[in-house]
Amino acid sequence: MALLLWKAFDFFEVSQVKLGDDDTRSFFENNDISSVCSGSESLFLGTHEGYVRIIGPSWKIIRSFQAHDTGRITHMRQVEGTSFLVTVAEDLSNEPVLKVWALDKPVKKTGLPTCLTTLNIHNGRKQFPISAFTALDDLSQVAVGFANGAVTVIRGDLIHDRGTRQRVVHESEEPITGVEFIADPRITTLFVATTARLLKLVISGKGQGQPPRTLEDSGCAVGCMTLNKNTGDIIVVRDDAVYYYNLDGRGLCFANDGTTTLAATYQDYVALVSPPSASSNGDSNNIRRRFGGANTEALFNASTVTMVDPVLQIVAHSESLISKVQALFQVWGDLFILMQNGKINRYHEKPLQQRLELLYQRSLFPLALKLADKSGMDEQQQNIIYRKYGDHLYQKSDYDSAMSQYIKAIDNTEPSQVIRKFLDTQRVNNLIMYLEQLHEHHKATSDHTTLLLNCYAKLKDVEKLEHFIKSEDDLKFDLDTAITMCRQGGYFEQAAYLATKHGESDLVVDILVEDSKNYNDALDFIWHLDPEAAYPALMKYARVLLEHCPKDATQIFIDYYTGKYRPKIHMVKIDEVPSAAGGRFGELAVGTVSAMQNLSNLLPLPYMNTSAIASPATQGNVQTVSDSEVLVDPDSPGESPKYNPPAPRTAFSSFIDHPDEFIVFLEACLKEESLNDTDKSDLYTTLFEMYLHKASKKSEQREEWEFKAKKLISGRDLPIENSNVLLLSHLSDFHDGTTLVKEQSGLLFDIFRSYTSAKDTRGAIKALRKYGPEEPQLYPAALAYFTSDSKVLEEAGPEELSKVLKRIDEDGLMAPLQVIQTLGANAVATMGMIKPYLQETISRERSEIARNRRQINSFRKETEQKRAEITELGSKPAVFQAQRCPGCGAALELPAVHFLCKHSFHQRCLKPGGDGSEPECPVCSNSNAAVRAMKQSQDERAGRHDVFKDALEKGKGDDRFKTVAQWFGQGVMSGGGSVFD
């Protein structure tokens, strides 16, 4: 009864499955299930009649087909992740039949799954039932155990049906109760369990063909052997214990409570199904009699289901079932139990947090930690358990043990929660232990450092105090606190030494700039740092360094942002560094001088040569390292360190109030060819702004700076945005920039308008001459501008006005009436100025009118002539005087055919129409066809409004009226009627 000694919990939520529909419910209640298997997110049920029912997640029968005509399906296997299903049907009158089905390949005629392989399983022609069955995942080998003690192994390609071989690998007088494979790339081993033995047999690989090797002289019952796929262990359940086996032999085992009828694995659990234990308890007998005597046997025929976690050695779940368990299977992430009464119970593992809460309630913190570790809980969550465990021990006054748990949870615990509990004087040792661990884990703050030092002082433990402060292996105290104390006390050199020793280059720069005010030294120190360390220090004090060291600071900015930065190198003669005799810090300086090369020529380190830290009053009396002892080679050969230069715009804010240095920086950055479009745009825009800024500040050099600005934006395909150039030019009153941008953007009319708005007549004339050929609409605008004011007209002159009028007239930019209206809007232009234009226009109009009248008269005469001919044909008889047939050239004789076009033909010379219509005059047929084609084309064009609109939009002035008239004549506006109607 060993399992009764294990702690029992309820780690599973049990619920009865609700079947999806009446057909599924009826199927389960009829108890027609002969075998069960699961896989690929589906449940497969075999029946006694040879049918396979497939159950989906909704617990409905989603598919059903007859796999075997005779016999019941006793074993099935679904290959996980595929559509292959293996079924085995038994009929003791014949050999068992194994079939492999492809569920995703239905037969076209029947719709049933495709049967890939069908074969009879041989047992030496002995008709015994199958008691065990297993197969490899690739179905290359199948093992079948029989009740007569024989084991048959089937090898071959069952999926493609390329032939198989069967061989009886084991025979004995003991019935086979279980078979399982353990396969690796080199060898495949078959474990065989009988009622009396457990055997191991190599069926492929090295050792194949050797007789089975007995692992145990004890077997197991049917259903009590299973495989843990997660670990690859064979689990054998006997009445006395549960045993684990692998290729090396027997492993873990734990005691069992008694008889087990069925075993299965679920995750890390082992599920055991046991029959009801017989009892002679008098109370039980009395209860049976009260419920009806012998009929109560069925009421108490229950099975016991136990879920065991062998790693934690706990019973995760246990319950009694009224009906007998028929099958255990896992699918859809849960474990299910099928009972003989057709009911199905779902066993869903509770969330990890709920399981831990059950352990917390019983103060089983060590077990909770094991569960958390086994479940893969992260360290942060495990620390919560350590903290709870520590609180539990603290309440029991076990302070030493509690502190050990708090230390384990130190990474995710608020230190103040623990420190407050151990502030009592009697628990100082525990507090010191915790504070030391805080520093070891780098979780300590300056307050923790101060508190720890106070604790050392309270205990007068000088040895621990010195060891803590002067530790060389690791920094156990808050470095910032120590450096801050030195800086506040005026020990700037000591603070710089401590920062340099621990690689705090940013603090070294802080001390040199903020405390020592040594700006040149600070800049030189930065120039000796790696690019990753130099950048933040440079950006932090950029304005200060540009203020005091403008030239060098600008150069380091240029080098860094153009990717040419290379740290300077200081080579120190170690043997010439002085040290005080017997001085503790002098010895330390000699040992660490190689790590301080970047600071050796910058900082006077008096504490490197004295036996104790010098006070501010004695710092001037100590020796320093002279410059002659340092070899500086800033231009030494070597490869530049690889780094990604930052975007130039990140340095722009540093050059505020330093425009000259800023311009130098921008011009140097623009020389780089590897700039991307965004950086180029930023650099061009900012440099253009700086040029204009300098032009506005220095009037004596305004033309020079404006020339540079104009030259900068004069190129083509510049990355600078036009809107930025316009805005900056407007703010700086830089007209050339505005004009240049408008030219590049094609805004020629805006350029002309800007001159007219400013009453700059000369600029307007210049713009008109330059842009007029490209932008003809400038001439009407120029005409309106020249005649808007007498002063403007006087500046422009009659000749310029005449040129504008001539160009307007030649290009047809304005109608004469529009010109007159424009000139008459202001009483500026005189009749004498526009008299030549009016004379030429009137003369041209009169000539065109006369020409149009002559054409109209011609069209009218032709129309009247055609109408007269039509009237004569319809009212008067036609006289035919032709004497010869144009078709054959012979004399015309009857029967003859006469046409109204005055042509006559022999009837035999005419060809009848192809569609049965009347014949047409062969002489006039071509001209008639041309007329009909023209009419058809006009009819088709009458509906093409898009073509009409396009022709109308392309026309100018009178051309548009001509277009309308032309299309009107073609019937486009006739409402579908004929143009000849």
Side-chain angles (χ1 to χ4, degrees):
M1 308 299 289
L3 291 181
L4 297 179
L5 301 178
W6 286 10
K7 293 180 175 62
F9 303 93
D10 192 7
F11 281 179
F12 285 84
E13 297 176 351
V14 184
S15 61
Q16 185 172 331
V17 174
K18 295 182 179 180
L19 301 178
D21 51 23
D22 295 337
D23 293 340
T24 306
R25 192 178 302 107
S26 174
F27 171 70
F28 277 94
E29 291 176 354
N30 291 336
N31 197 17
D32 190 31
I33 300 173
S34 60
S35 60
V36 179
C37 77
S38 62
S40 300
E41 298 298 322
S42 299
L43 177 63
F44 302 87
L45 304 175
T47 67
H48 293 278
E49 289 78 15
Y51 281 87
V52 174
R53 317 284 188 190
I54 303 177
I55 308 296
S58 60
W59 285 98
K60 295 180 180 179
I61 298 177
I62 59 177
R63 195 173 186 182
S64 178
F65 66 93
Q66 187 171 6
H68 297 271
D69 296 333
T70 59
R72 64 190 184 97
I73 300 176
T74 57
H75 296 83
M76 291 193 300
R77 173 70 183 272
Q78 205 281 329
V79 182
E80 185 67 37
T82 68
S83 62
F84 301 127
L85 177 67
V86 181
T87 60
V88 177
E90 291 188 74
D91 182 4
L92 292 181
S93 60
N94 299 296
E95 290 182 333
V97 179
L98 180 145
K99 292 185 178 181
V100 179
W101 302 88
L103 302 179
D104 61 342
K105 297 180 180 179
V107 179
K108 293 183 178 180
K109 294 183 179 181
T110 62
L112 298 178
T114 301
C115 181
L116 303 177
T117 302
T118 302
L119 58 86
N120 296 330
I121 303 176
H122 304 315
N123 185 20
R125 298 184 179 180
K126 300 175 183 178
Q127 302 301 323
F128 284 88
I130 296 175
S131 57
F133 175 82
T134 188
L136 291 176
D137 291 337
D138 58 358
L139 300 182
S140 61
Q141 298 190 75
V142 176
V144 182
F146 293 90
N148 67 330
V151 177
T152 300
V153 173
I154 305 172
R155 296 179 181 175
D157 191 349
L158 296 177
I159 297 177
H160 302 91
D161 194 16
R162 295 176 180 174
T164 58
R165 293 178 299 171
Q166 300 187 32
R167 182 169 65 94
V168 178
V169 297
H170 175 71
E171 289 182 316
S172 66
E173 297 180 357
E174 305 151 1
I176 304 300
T177 57
V179 288
E180 291 291 348
F181 282 117
I182 294 182
D184 59 27
R186 295 177 300 175
I187 186 172
T188 302
T189 306
L190 176 65
F191 284 77
V192 179
T194 68
T195 55
R197 287 183 300 168
L198 179 64
L199 307 171
K200 182 175 73 171
L201 177 64
V202 178
I203 61 174
S204 67
K206 186 177 180 180
Q208 178 182 358
Q210 297 180 0
R213 185 166 66 90
T214 302
L215 296 179
E216 289 282 359
D217 289 331
S218 298
C220 65
V222 176
C224 294
M225 179 179 179
T226 185
L227 172 66
N228 188 338
K229 294 185 178 180
N230 295 332
T231 62
D233 293 329
I234 301 295
I235 301 176
V236 177
V237 182
R238 303 189 183 102
D239 294 347
D240 60 336
V242 178
Y243 298 91
Y244 283 68
Y245 296 91
N246 52 36
L247 296 177
D248 298 328
R250 191 170 76 180
L252 172 70
C253 68
F254 58 89
N256 193 9
D257 286 342
T259 304
T260 300
T261 58
L262 193 60
T265 60
Y266 173 68
Q267 297 181 2
D268 294 333
Y269 300 102
V270 178
L272 304 175
V273 178
S274 304
S277 59
S279 174
S280 59
N281 192 319
D283 294 337
S284 179
N285 293 333
N286 293 334
I287 294 175
R288 294 182 183 184
R289 285 192 295 271
R290 289 179 59 188
F291 278 93
N295 293 332
T296 60
E297 290 295 331
L299 191 63
F300 290 89
N301 188 16
S303 299
T304 301
V305 178
T306 305
M307 302 287 290
V308 180
D309 189 333
V311 178
L312 300 179
Q313 293 187 351
I314 62 172
V315 177
H317 180 76
S318 180
E319 69 170 323
S320 296
L321 302 176
I322 295 178
S323 179
K324 184 180 178 181
V325 174
Q326 184 174 355
L328 286 172
F329 58 91
Q330 53 178 318
V331 67
W332 305 309
D334 292 330
L335 179 69
F336 296 85
I337 292 182
L338 173 64
M339 294 173 283
Q340 285 188 345
N341 59 2
K343 305 296 182 181
I344 303 173
N345 284 354
R346 181 198 303 267
Y347 294 82
H348 179 73
E349 187 181 26
K350 294 180 179 179
L352 177 59
Q353 195 59 39
Q354 293 185 15
R355 287 178 278 156
L356 291 175
E357 290 294 337
L358 294 175
L359 300 178
Y360 297 158
Q361 294 173 5
R362 296 167 63 172
S363 300
L364 299 175
F365 295 99
L367 187 58
L369 289 169
K370 292 182 180 179
L371 175 59
D373 183 65
K374 184 178 75 70
S375 302
M377 178 180 284
D378 58 19
E379 184 178 354
Q380 182 177 359
Q381 295 295 326
Q382 291 189 34
N383 287 340
I384 296 176
I385 304 175
Y386 284 121
R387 189 166 62 247
K388 290 179 178 291
Y389 192 17
D391 294 340
H392 172 70
L393 295 174
Y394 182 85
Q395 293 176 359
K396 295 174 62 177
S397 300
D398 189 356
Y399 302 117
D400 293 339
S401 300
M403 179 53 68
S404 64
Q405 300 303 321
Y406 288 135
I407 290 175
K408 292 179 181 179
I410 199 170
D411 289 335
N412 301 101
T413 302
E414 176 59 37
S416 60
Q417 298 178 1
V418 179
I419 292 173
R420 281 196 296 264
K421 296 181 179 181
F422 293 90
L423 289 177
D424 194 329
T425 305
Q426 298 179 356
R427 307 186 192 119
V428 172
N429 290 326
N430 297 125
L431 181 58
I432 290 176
M433 183 187 303
Y434 187 75
L435 292 172
E436 288 177 345
Q437 290 298 321
L438 279 177
H439 287 81
E440 291 290 341
H441 288 78
H442 301 283
K443 301 281 291 182
T445 63
S446 58
D447 295 334
H448 299 147
T449 301
T450 303
L451 179 59
L452 179 57
L453 295 177
N454 289 335
C455 290
Y456 286 146
K458 188 175 186 64
L459 297 179
K460 298 179 180 180
D461 195 340
V462 180
E463 183 179 355
K464 279 191 175 183
L465 179 62
E466 292 184 353
H467 181 269
F468 176 76
I469 294 177
K470 302 177 182 179
S471 176
E472 297 293 336
D473 297 334
D474 193 9
L475 186 63
K476 294 183 179 180
F477 54 88
D478 183 60
L479 179 63
D480 292 337
T481 301
I483 294 177
T484 302
M485 292 174 61
C486 293
R487 295 176 68 181
Q488 291 177 353
Y491 302 100
F492 304 137
E493 289 79 7
Q494 289 84 348
Y497 165 73
L498 192 58
T500 306
K501 175 184 175 182
H502 294 284
E504 298 292 338
S505 57
D506 53 343
L507 288 177
V508 177
V509 179
D510 293 346
I511 296 168
L512 291 175
V513 174
E514 298 177 4
D515 300 329
S516 301
K517 307 299 181 182
N518 294 327
Y519 305 109
N520 289 321
D521 293 344
L523 183 60
D524 198 31
F525 178 81
I526 294 174
W527 215 321
H528 287 76
L529 298 176
D530 291 335
E532 291 76 10
Y535 179 72
L538 181 64
M539 297 305 296
K540 184 176 182 180
Y541 296 105
R543 296 186 185 181
V544 178
L545 296 175
L546 285 169
E547 179 69 27
H548 296 86
C549 315
K551 184 177 180 180
D552 292 339
T554 303
Q555 187 59 44
I556 192 174
F557 265 103
I558 293 174
D559 291 348
Y560 197 92
Y561 277 85
T562 56
K564 301 176 182 178
Y565 175 81
R566 183 169 60 182
K568 294 182 178 180
I569 300 175
H570 281 233
M571 296 175 292
V572 182
K573 295 181 179 180
I574 300 178
D575 55 347
E576 296 182 7
V577 177
S579 61
R584 181 181 306 171
F585 285 92
E587 297 174 357
L588 177 61
V590 174
T592 59
V593 67
S594 60
M596 299 172 58
Q597 294 176 0
N598 293 342
L599 195 63
S600 58
N601 70 317
L602 302 178
L603 296 178
L605 303 178
Y607 47 86
M608 297 175 62
N609 304 317
T610 59
S611 59
I613 297 178
S615 63
T618 62
Q619 288 179 4
N621 301 325
V622 295
Q623 300 178 355
T624 61
V625 180
S626 63
D627 292 339
S628 60
E629 297 172 352
V630 182
L631 301 179
V632 184
D633 187 12
D635 299 324
S636 61
E639 295 184 359
S640 300
K642 295 182 180 179
Y643 67 97
N644 293 324
R649 70 179 308 158
T650 59
F652 291 175
S653 61
S654 303
F655 287 90
I656 295 177
D657 300 330
H658 301 284
D660 294 330
E661 289 77 12
F662 195 15
I663 291 175
V664 173
F665 170 75
L666 294 173
E667 290 176 345
C669 290
L670 281 176
K671 295 179 181 178
E672 291 298 314
E673 300 180 355
S674 59
L675 294 172
N676 56 43
D677 295 340
T678 303
D679 292 342
K680 285 184 180 180
S681 177
D682 294 340
L683 290 171
Y684 270 95
T685 304
T686 309
L687 184 58
F688 180 69
E689 181 181 2
M690 293 306 301
Y691 283 156
L692 298 181
H693 173 74
K694 293 291 290 185
S696 62
K697 294 297 182 182
K698 296 183 178 181
S699 57
E700 64 277 4
Q701 299 179 353
R702 180 181 183 88
E703 293 184 0
E704 179 182 353
W705 290 111
E706 286 186 348
F707 174 77
K708 287 186 176 183
K710 185 176 181 180
K711 183 179 179 182
L712 182 66
I713 62 174
S714 296
R716 295 186 176 274
D717 299 329
L718 291 176
I720 185 172
E721 295 184 4
N722 293 336
S723 58
N724 292 334
V725 177
L726 290 173
L727 177 61
L728 295 173
S729 300
H730 174 72
L731 295 176
S732 300
D733 197 19
F734 181 49
H735 299 293
D736 291 344
T738 303
T739 302
L740 186 60
V741 171
K742 290 181 178 179
E743 285 183 1
Q744 295 174 349
S745 303
L747 304 177
L748 306 180
F749 204 97
D750 290 347
I751 298 175
F752 180 79
R753 187 183 292 116
S754 64
Y755 286 113
T756 59
S757 299
K759 299 297 183 179
D760 186 359
T761 304
R762 291 184 179 180
I765 295 174
K766 183 179 179 181
L768 180 64
R769 292 175 178 175
K770 184 177 182 181
Y771 310 127
E774 300 180 24
E775 187 67 31
Q777 291 302 320
L778 292 179
Y779 292 100
L783 179 64
Y785 172 67
F786 291 158
T787 59
S788 63
D789 188 91
S790 59
K791 184 178 180 180
V792 174
L793 183 60
E794 182 180 355
E795 293 179 356
E799 293 182 359
E800 195 65 35
L801 179 62
S802 176
K803 291 179 181 179
V804 171
L805 289 172
K806 183 179 180 181
R807 188 61 181 267
I808 292 174
D809 185 45
E810 291 177 352
D811 295 346
L813 301 177
M814 297 177 66
L817 182 60
Q818 292 176 323
V819 173
I820 299 302
Q821 290 175 347
T822 302
L823 296 176
N826 298 298
V828 176
T830 62
M831 182 60 66
M833 295 180 181
I834 62 174
K835 183 177 180 180
Y837 167 76
L838 293 177
Q839 289 179 345
E840 183 178 354
T841 302
I842 292 172
S843 176
R844 184 175 61 253
E845 293 291 338
R846 287 177 176 176
S847 299
E848 186 176 356
I849 290 172
R851 184 174 59 256
N852 290 338
R853 285 178 177 176
R854 288 193 298 270
Q855 188 174 8
I856 290 171
N857 293 332
S858 175
F859 286 162
R860 284 178 177 174
K861 291 180 180 180
E862 185 178 355
T863 301
E864 292 295 332
Q865 181 181 358
K866 295 296 181 182
R867 286 179 177 176
E869 291 179 0
I870 293 173
T871 302
E872 183 179 356
L873 290 174
S875 58
K876 296 181 179 180
V879 178
F880 301 97
Q881 299 177 353
Q883 298 178 357
R884 290 185 177 276
C885 175
C888 60
L892 189 67
E893 57 185 16
L894 297 178
V897 178
H898 304 280
F899 295 96
L900 293 178
C901 58
K902 306 302 182 177
H903 295 120
S904 301
F905 291 85
H906 293 123
Q907 186 176 11
R908 64 178 180 272
C909 294
L910 293 179
K911 297 180 180 179
D915 53 354
S917 60
E918 294 182 357
E920 185 179 7
C921 176
V923 177
C924 300
S925 61
N926 292 334
S927 59
N928 293 339
V931 173
R932 283 194 297 270
M934 184 183 303
K935 177 63 171 61
Q936 183 179 1
S937 175
Q938 291 180 355
D939 292 342
E940 292 177 353
R941 287 169 58 87
R944 296 294 303 277
H945 301 291
D946 54 340
V947 179
F948 170 70
K949 183 179 179 182
D950 183 63
L952 191 63
E953 289 177 350
K954 290 182 179 179
K956 296 182 180 179
D958 295 342
D959 293 340
R960 296 184 179 181
F961 181 79
K962 293 179 181 179
T963 301
V964 173
Q966 179 183 1
W967 280 77
F968 183 81
Q970 294 176 358
V972 71
M973 299 179 184
S974 60
S978 174
V979 296
F980 299 103
D981 293 343

